[in-house]
Amino acid sequence: MTTPFFSLIIVLTEKNSYLLPFTLDSIAHEKRCYEVALVDGTGGKVVLDHLPVEGVKIIRCPHSTFPKMMNLAMKEVSGEYLHFLLPGEFYIWDEALNFMRKMIQGYNYPDLVYTPRRVRHHFGQPTIDLFPLTTKILKRGDVHWSLQSYFFRRESLLMMGGFSEKYGIKWGYELICRFFLAPALTKTYVKRVITDYEYRRLTPDWIWRESVETAHISFKYFGLSIQLIGWMMQNCLRLFRF
């Protein structure tokens, strides 16, 4: 059996299951350079028959956290590169994965490849984050909790120990910090938007927990910095306005 170039890992919970069709429909139009693994954290409460994508691998992992489900999935799949998606996140054109495969091959198979991200807001038009990551950006935690813009080389992610299970929201940010602080790992920025997502309004409790985890991770890896202090002040104003 030929090893797929990509393993697309979709993490499903009861709360986000209604958004699953958006993601699967975008995958169904792609040419098959991938395998799809669906991590079912619903405890069997969501029916997964008659999916629009053939050959989906169902990985049962009830009553677990996102990091645990993703750590389990990355050991069960076989693709050279892993792309983690949440229901509601989708590819914006049919040749997105084939384009990314050509970019990865052209850049000599880096350990991490990432792209710009479209950011949707409760009010106003979407914006696009066009800038590659820098230490300054990492210090102030400007890394979204979702990983839809990142493609990981599987063997590199396994070598790094996968996702930290200490964090319930900012597991993606913590992992990206570790990747960027490992000088032996190669990182490549491809300046083209690959994915989009359905907007989901966040609760005050969720925003507070995200803020606490962001501050903890930034301090852990970079210490107390001007960027972190500035971010904390801005975030306090954001929470107050919310």
Side-chain angles (χ1 to χ4, degrees):
M1 182 176 179
T2 304
T3 301
F5 194 84
F6 292 110
S7 289
L8 313 181
I9 298 173
I10 307 170
V11 185
L12 182 69
T13 67
E14 274 192 86
K15 289 184 178 180
N16 66 26
S17 60
Y18 72 98
L19 292 169
L20 182 61
F22 288 96
T23 302
L24 292 181
D25 286 345
S26 75
I27 294 172
H29 298 295
E30 289 275 359
K31 293 180 180 178
R32 292 303 293 260
C33 61
Y34 60 83
E35 67 173 343
V36 181
L38 185 59
V39 191
D40 181 12
T42 70
K45 295 180 181 178
V46 175
V47 178
L48 298 176
D49 297 332
H50 308 295
L51 298 176
V53 179
E54 295 182 2
V56 176
K57 183 175 186 177
I58 307 296
I59 302 172
R60 308 288 181 182
C61 189
H63 311 301
S64 194
T65 63
F66 280 106
K68 287 182 180 179
M69 289 192 282
M70 292 188 291
N71 283 337
L72 174 63
M74 70 183 191
K75 296 175 183 177
E76 297 287 329
V77 297
S78 58
E80 292 184 57
Y81 280 81
L82 308 183
H83 193 207
F84 296 90
L85 295 169
L86 300 179
E89 298 173 348
F90 54 91
Y91 300 104
I92 60 175
W93 87 92
D94 292 349
E95 291 294 317
L97 287 175
N98 282 304
F99 169 80
M100 285 305 299
R101 178 175 60 176
K102 292 176 182 177
M103 292 295 102
I104 289 170
Q105 292 169 337
Y107 282 106
N108 196 26
Y109 300 88
D111 298 289
L112 172 66
V113 183
Y114 65 105
T115 69
R117 179 179 177 273
R118 181 172 284 124
V119 182
R120 296 193 173 275
H121 308 279
H122 184 56
F123 298 105
Q125 294 298 315
T127 57
I128 297 178
D129 181 4
L130 283 173
F131 300 100
L133 290 175
T134 62
T135 301
K136 184 178 179 179
I137 291 173
L138 290 171
K139 284 181 178 180
R140 64 173 185 252
D142 286 348
V143 176
H144 196 263
W145 54 273
S146 170
L147 290 173
Q148 68 184 75
S149 299
Y150 300 88
F151 293 78
F152 299 89
R153 193 169 188 174
R154 181 174 177 269
E155 62 181 31
S156 304
L157 187 55
L158 289 170
M159 180 190 69
M160 293 292 287
F163 297 89
S164 172
E165 298 178 4
K166 295 179 181 178
Y167 303 101
I169 295 176
K170 296 292 283 192
W171 26 264
Y173 171 46
E174 192 274 341
L175 179 64
I176 297 302
C177 286
R178 278 191 281 136
F179 259 78
F180 271 80
L181 290 173
L185 298 182
T186 53
K187 283 79 68 173
T188 297
Y189 176 63
V190 175
K191 196 175 181 180
R192 183 160 183 179
V193 179
I194 299 296
T195 58
D196 200 350
Y197 65 101
E198 290 295 309
Y199 178 77
R200 290 148 284 183
R201 189 174 182 181
L202 305 176
T203 64
D205 176 66
W206 197 98
I207 293 174
W208 170 252
R209 289 169 54 211
E210 180 192 24
S211 301
V212 171
E213 290 188 8
T214 299
H216 183 271
I217 294 166
S218 179
F219 183 78
K220 175 182 177 181
Y221 288 109
F222 304 105
L224 189 63
S225 64
I226 295 174
Q227 289 81 12
L228 176 58
I229 294 172
W231 173 86
M232 292 174 68
M233 294 176 64
Q234 291 177 356
N235 209 56
C236 285
L237 292 173
R238 173 192 175 207
L239 286 169
F240 180 76
R241 288 196 301 268
F242 190 87

